[in-house]
Amino acid sequence: MTGSLCRHKVLVEGANAALLDIDFGTYPYVTSSNCTIGGVCTGLGIPPSRIDMVVGVVKAYTTRVGEGPFPTELHDENGKLLQVRRINLL
């Protein structure tokens, strides 16, 4: 983020995933805030015009703590293959 008032680069990290976002998540199993890039604007008061670059880091699956749906859970041969690959990586 750069601008006339701020010449420093700022790193903002979001700890939750998009499926937990209050606006875009799998309601009612969401957090009380915006977890996507929009949360930078609403939560920190940084206007979108001051954001120069966004780098997104994602994972290919969904995890949950507590209750809630698993939209990426597979109960077929693909799911078994992913489980075997995950175990081999650990």
Side-chain angles (χ1 to χ4, degrees):
M1 176 181 77
T2 59
S4 61
L5 298 176
C6 179
R7 295 289 180 199
H8 302 282
K9 292 185 179 186
V10 177
L11 174 65
V12 179
E13 176 189 15
N16 293 318
L19 290 178
L20 295 177
D21 187 275
I22 187 74
D23 293 322
F24 301 106
T26 51
Y27 184 82
Y29 307 103
V30 295
T31 186
S32 61
S33 61
N34 295 102
C35 306
T36 58
I37 187 61
V40 172
C41 301
T42 59
L44 298 176
I46 299 173
S49 61
R50 293 289 181 100
I51 299 175
D52 294 331
M53 181 175 63
V54 175
V55 176
V57 178
V58 299
K59 59 185 178 183
Y61 56 91
T62 300
T63 56
R64 290 277 190 211
V65 175
E67 297 184 25
F70 282 94
T72 58
E73 188 173 32
L74 301 173
H75 298 286
D76 58 8
E77 292 302 314
N78 291 323
K80 290 177 185 175
L81 177 64
L82 290 171
Q83 288 177 355
V84 170
R85 285 187 181 176
R86 183 174 184 267
I87 291 169
N88 291 337
L89 291 174
L90 298 176

